[in-house]
Amino acid sequence: MLADVVARLFTDRVTKDLLEAAEQGQWPTSLWETVEESGLTVPLVPEAKGGAGGTWRDAHVVVRAAGRHAVPLPLPETIVASWLLSGAGLDVPRGPLTLAPVQRDDALTLRRAGTAWRLSGTAARVPWGGAAGHVVVVAAADGRTMVALLAAGSGRVTADLNLAREPRHTLGFDDAPVLAVAPAGDHIPANAIRLYGALIRSAQMAGGLQYLLDQSVRYATERRQFGKPIGAFQAIQHQLAVLSEQSAAAGVAAAHAFRAAEGGDARFEIAVAKIRAGEAAGIGAAIAHQVHGAIGFTYEHSLHFVTRRLWAWRAEFGDEGHWAAELGQAVARRGADALWPDLTAR
Amino acid sequence: MHPFGFELCELPPQAESLRSEVREFLRAELGEATPAQRAGSWGGFDPEFSRKVGTRGWIGMTWPKRYGGHERSALERYVVLEEMLAAGAPVAAHWIADRQSGPLLLRFGTEAQRQRFLPAITRGELSFAIGMSEPDSGSDLASIRTRAERVPGGYRVNGAKVWTSNAHRAHYMIALFRTHSDPANKHAGLSQFLVDTRSPGITIRPIVDLSGSHHFNEVVFQDVFVPEDLRVGEEGAGWMQVTTELALERSGPERYLSSFALLVELIRAVSKEPGERAAVALGRLVAHLATLRQMSLSIAGMLEAGQNPNLEAALVKDLGTTFEQEIPEVVHALLGVEPTSGSGTDLQQLLGYLTQQAPSFSLRGGTREILRGIIARGLGLR
Ligand SMILES: Cc1cc2nc3c(=O)[nH]c(=O)nc-3n(C[C@H](O)[C@H](O)[C@H](O)COP(=O)(O)OP(=O)(O)OC[C@H]3O[C@@H](n4cnc5c(N)ncnc54)[C@H](O)[C@@H]3O)c2cc1C
């Protein structure tokens, strides 16, 4: 089963050393090659186009595992980018891909220049904007939503990191040459990058929360104080019960959003998932640290590889406030009496 | 490593056509109900309504046809239930029996008991109360002391139950009594019985809740005779049976929909053009609602597959009641309206009703602390 294959691969390869090296800026070349050769980067690309010809369910398995193991690669981003490209009928280049624009207020402008196309504008916080070979952009042009492929080197790169020391670059494009462009596939809205970025982050967070639960439960049975495992204290038991609730809620919300993506319009479910998983991430990280005591607060211990990612991912591609505002406005516009029929129609 | 898991559950197409049928029925039946009445959904005891629901075939939906059931799926039952609760239908006269008493008899009752009780339940004619808690035994249910002593032909019962919802209106109660005393093992020696609420020796006294309403009761047993053939299951098997029953009690959508009517009215109040603050709060509540519904549906899927989602049910009930209790808080923070009772706008009365009911959400059916204990046991911590 895909889940087992992925879990085994990441358990073996995404070690503490590898994560620390990645935080020092080292690109895990051989891990990337293995992941790419296994077809994990292209579950949503048809086999005829060199992909794995899978479903969003497969994508979900991979993205969730990437979150659980804190995989320091733009693997989820590549999955979405390759899906957007192939959905627009474009070829998918090899190598890591990234997505832009990430933030609501960053606009990228596509313009025709004779037979070719050019891109201008600035996109901040682009995941692995330096390491990725190509950037996939969704932007409006000619009154339609277009998918465009650029070489990562075609823009100015200003390096930065998120809390988990994952690269988050600012890319500045100045009439940069577009390698390929085509109208986006069905159901791809103008904000597709932010939307599907939120989708992958919600499943990564769900995976991260599962890790926190497993680790915290294990630690609570191993660590002893007052002559017994700390997990024997009711206060700790209840904290872990809450953590398992948050982990389960994030997992269901994310899985539901991936299932909706299979069907086309997933805007409602993705907003729900990003809001719910983001809130769970905040609560879950706090509980995991409380249960671990001081040792979990050290760089030496591995807990922070996931908690720092949860804090970062929660804010990326729109935080809870951002998505809640959009969702709340949409619900209000539909009116009070539409809530239940709308909800049960999903 | 996880002792629990939530697979997404997809409703079959026939469940969706059933949904429209139920909606149409409810529109006709509930036309004039106010939001506060709708919020009282499972407090609403309306035998006539229950009989209509029975006529439509929506009670005992999953039970065998030979007992009046309809052999439909747990998912179809789920759809009927969530529609009833979302609309705020007065379900109290039938749904305790539908949810737990009937299934308990199906699992542990004798053939004669099934023949006698189940068909009447499915017609919506027979209502049940739950006789578990006692004055000195709440969370520690196994410590109950009401005794059922063997006498010729049956048992003689002495003691008292409390908080028995609708005991004053239900025809029968499924009660847990002590048939044997072993101080070293309080879980042994418990048995369940079908008790006619009009039996000689039973006194039912109202307990008025903090809002002034009467829905639960004290039920005192003085030398009450219960015939042998109304014992449910083996003598002494009561603890195993009652935990099964509690799992049924915790598994449904009622555990996150209690304040749903207030969420609907909140949307009405913030208008179609809400400010940023209201939109954020509303969006967050809807995200929780949508997630809880998927979790609850997932449990229905496990029931349909014949699994035992006890842990998952505890988890969803804790999350769900927290959500139900949060809605009035959000309304207070956003709208600044005074909760009222008896006067004021529909919204004020609804807020008044739910503000006063909310504390019970995380008590009834097992307290928050007990549920978290069950989850912790599932995690292997106890
Ligand atoms: C509206 C309503 C309707 C009800 N209807 C029925 C009914 O129809 N039939 C019926 O049998 N019962 C009914 N109940 C009773 C309900 O099941 C009990 O209230 C519940 O089991 C808790 O018992 P208690 O109220 O005695 O509280 P207690 O058990 O005394 O608990 C008080 C507090 O102590 C906490 N506590 C207790 N033990 C522990 C522990 N081990 N660890 C940590 N904390 C603990 C509890 O969580 C709670 O916060 C109803 C209750 C309500 C509110």
Side-chain angles (χ1 to χ4, degrees):
Chain A
M1 248 178 65
L2 180 61
D4 299 330
V5 171
V6 177
R8 204 169 322 118
L9 170 67
F10 292 154
T11 305
D12 289 351
R13 302 287 297 277
V14 185
T15 59
K16 189 156 175 271
D17 287 345
L18 182 116
L19 282 166
E20 284 180 4
E23 295 208 345
Q24 298 307 315
Q26 198 174 313
W27 171 253
T29 309
S30 119
L31 176 65
W32 172 265
E33 282 166 1
T34 310
V35 164
E36 189 167 56
E37 273 154 26
S38 324
L40 298 178
T41 56
V42 285
L44 299 172
V45 178
E47 284 182 60
K49 295 207 134 207
T55 62
W56 281 96
R57 185 186 277 270
D58 301 321
H60 176 243
V61 167
V62 176
V63 174
R64 193 182 153 114
R68 192 193 186 295
H69 295 271
V71 174
L73 294 172
L75 169 58
E77 288 84 350
T78 303
I79 289 174
V80 168
S82 60
W83 168 69
L84 286 168
L85 287 174
S86 74
L90 300 174
D91 290 335
V92 179
R94 280 184 75 79
L97 305 176
T98 190
L99 302 162
V102 171
Q103 298 190 318
R104 181 169 31 182
D105 299 329
D106 288 351
L108 295 176
T109 322
L110 266 179
R111 124 187 129 74
R112 263 184 214 280
T115 55
W117 289 74
R118 307 232 158 221
L119 185 82
S120 295
T122 302
R125 315 300 296 171
V126 176
W128 276 274
H134 296 87
V135 188
V136 170
V137 169
V138 172
D142 290 355
R144 25 197 334 191
T145 302
M146 310 291 281
V147 175
L149 178 72
L150 285 93
S154 59
R156 275 170 287 112
V157 178
T158 312
D160 203 350
L161 301 168
N162 70 8
L163 273 189
R165 306 191 70 78
E166 295 176 314
R168 294 296 184 258
H169 298 318
T170 298
L171 303 185
F173 298 101
D174 243 343
D175 245 5
V178 171
L179 300 179
V181 64
D186 293 343
H187 297 297
I188 305 295
N191 69 348
I193 299 293
R194 203 160 26 92
L195 188 67
Y196 287 90
L199 174 68
I200 52 181
R201 288 293 181 267
S202 65
Q204 288 172 279
M205 286 193 276
L209 281 158
Q210 190 185 347
Y211 172 85
L212 295 189
L213 177 60
D214 292 348
Q215 290 305 308
S216 301
V217 168
R218 176 184 305 167
Y219 187 73
T221 55
E222 288 167 1
R223 171 72 173 168
R224 297 175 73 86
Q225 287 292 285
F226 300 96
K228 48 184 167 182
I230 55 168
F233 296 109
Q234 195 182 49
I236 297 289
Q237 292 175 354
H238 286 198
Q239 289 295 301
L240 292 173
V242 172
L243 175 53
S244 63
E245 290 167 6
Q246 296 298 324
S247 167
V252 167
H256 190 222
F258 272 78
R259 188 177 79 185
E262 190 80 58
D265 177 6
R267 282 172 298 180
F268 176 82
E269 288 81 359
I270 293 174
V272 164
K274 190 64 167 50
I275 295 165
R276 191 63 191 84
E279 184 173 327
I283 298 170
I287 292 174
H289 277 295
Q290 189 65 23
V291 168
H292 276 81
I295 192 75
F297 193 63
T298 62
Y299 192 80
E300 175 62 24
H301 195 279
S302 300
L303 191 64
H304 65 83
F305 288 121
V306 170
T307 54
R308 284 184 297 128
R309 276 174 175 75
L310 289 175
W311 292 321
W313 292 342
R314 175 181 192 180
E316 292 176 354
F317 296 102
D319 60 14
E320 294 113 81
H322 164 115
W323 285 108
E326 280 196 12
L327 182 61
Q329 271 148 8
V331 166
R333 251 193 320 275
R334 296 274 302 151
D337 298 316
L339 175 62
W340 184 254
D342 284 356
L343 187 71
T344 50
R346 306 302 308 186
Chain B
M1 174 154 184
H2 284 325
F4 44 76
F6 288 87
E7 289 289 319
L8 292 183
C9 167
E10 203 139 9
L11 290 170
Q14 69 268 28
E16 292 306 329
S17 57
L18 175 61
R19 187 189 298 287
S20 339
E21 245 180 89
V22 179
R23 270 189 197 161
E24 210 168 300
F25 169 80
L26 290 173
R27 233 188 326 268
E29 291 295 321
L30 306 180
E32 300 302 305
T34 65
Q37 282 164 340
R38 288 171 188 267
S41 186
W42 32 313
F45 195 99
D46 182 345
E48 196 194 329
F49 176 81
S50 291
R51 269 194 294 275
K52 286 183 188 163
V53 175
T55 305
R56 301 299 291 254
W58 295 335
I59 305 177
M61 286 176 74
T62 62
W63 307 351
K65 288 193 171 147
R66 65 182 182 284
Y67 303 127
H70 304 280
E71 300 186 4
R72 299 180 79 160
S73 75
L75 300 178
E76 289 174 291
R77 174 177 178 269
Y78 184 90
V79 165
V80 171
L81 202 53
E82 73 170 355
E83 287 299 322
M84 296 259 173
L85 293 166
V91 296
H94 69 265
W95 90 311
I96 297 292
D98 178 72
R99 177 181 73 186
Q100 61 194 86
S101 319
L104 190 78
L105 293 179
L106 264 179
R107 215 171 295 189
F108 303 113
T110 62
E111 184 57 28
Q113 288 169 350
R114 294 179 196 161
Q115 303 265 7
R116 176 169 161 197
F117 293 101
L118 297 180
I121 290 175
T122 62
R123 291 194 300 271
E125 292 168 1
L126 201 57
S127 58
F128 277 72
I130 307 165
M132 296 186 193
S133 308
E134 297 186 5
D136 292 329
S137 304
S139 299
D140 184 10
L141 181 60
S143 70
I144 57 156
R145 290 202 299 245
T146 299
R147 282 190 58 82
E149 289 167 284
R150 276 215 177 256
V151 293
Y155 296 82
R156 186 172 56 221
V157 180
N158 281 286
K161 294 286 170 187
V162 272
W163 323 125
T164 322
S165 300
N166 290 315
H168 58 306
R169 299 189 276 213
H171 301 101
Y172 278 84
M173 166 196 290
I174 291 195
L176 184 70
F177 298 137
R178 187 162 292 288
T179 41
H180 172 75
S181 227
D182 175 2
N185 185 1
K186 64 183 179 180
H187 296 97
L190 301 175
S191 307
Q192 283 188 304
F193 294 88
L194 280 150
V195 182
D196 184 335
T197 52
R198 278 142 310 177
S199 308
I202 289 188
T203 314
I204 299 176
R205 297 198 193 101
I207 304 178
V208 176
D209 79 5
L210 58 79
S211 73
S213 316
H214 167 212
H215 46 85
F216 54 24
N217 303 274
E218 180 186 32
V219 183
V220 178
F221 300 82
Q222 232 170 0
D223 292 333
V224 175
F225 177 74
V226 180
E228 165 109 43
D229 63 2
L230 289 188
R231 192 189 64 231
V232 182
E234 294 300 308
E235 195 178 287
W239 183 252
M240 178 272 291
Q241 291 176 196
V242 86
T243 48
T244 308
E245 183 183 347
L246 279 166
L248 295 167
E249 184 172 346
R250 288 171 189 150
S251 61
E254 66 272 23
R255 302 307 182 177
Y256 75 95
L257 285 172
S258 305
S259 304
F260 179 71
L262 184 57
L263 179 56
V264 171
E265 296 314 307
L266 171 64
I267 298 173
R268 224 182 293 288
V270 301
S271 84
K272 297 208 169 184
E273 301 288 337
E276 176 91 0
R277 197 166 74 98
V280 168
L282 181 57
R284 175 176 171 273
L285 289 177
V286 170
H288 277 256
L289 174 73
T291 305
L292 282 161
R293 177 164 182 269
Q294 287 304 319
M295 298 181 90
S296 186
L297 254 173
S298 166
I299 289 179
M302 293 182 232
L303 289 172
E304 175 65 13
Q307 295 161 1
N308 228 345
N310 291 0
L311 269 179
E312 288 84 355
L315 211 141
V316 175
K317 180 174 184 280
D318 190 25
L319 276 176
T321 54
T322 302
F323 170 71
E324 294 175 333
Q325 289 172 337
E326 229 176 332
I327 297 175
E329 294 301 313
V330 171
V331 170
H332 279 295
L334 281 182
L335 300 184
V337 299
E338 182 186 344
T340 61
S341 178
S343 63
T345 63
D346 275 358
L347 175 65
Q348 286 183 303
Q349 296 196 46
L350 175 59
L351 182 61
Y353 175 78
L354 285 172
T355 299
Q356 296 181 88
Q357 291 303 311
S360 73
F361 299 164
S362 52
L363 296 174
R364 61 188 186 190
T367 68
R368 166 166 298 141
E369 288 72 25
I370 293 305
L371 296 174
R372 290 184 180 172
I374 291 171
I375 298 166
R377 178 169 294 130
L379 292 172
L381 296 170
R382 42 191 297 247

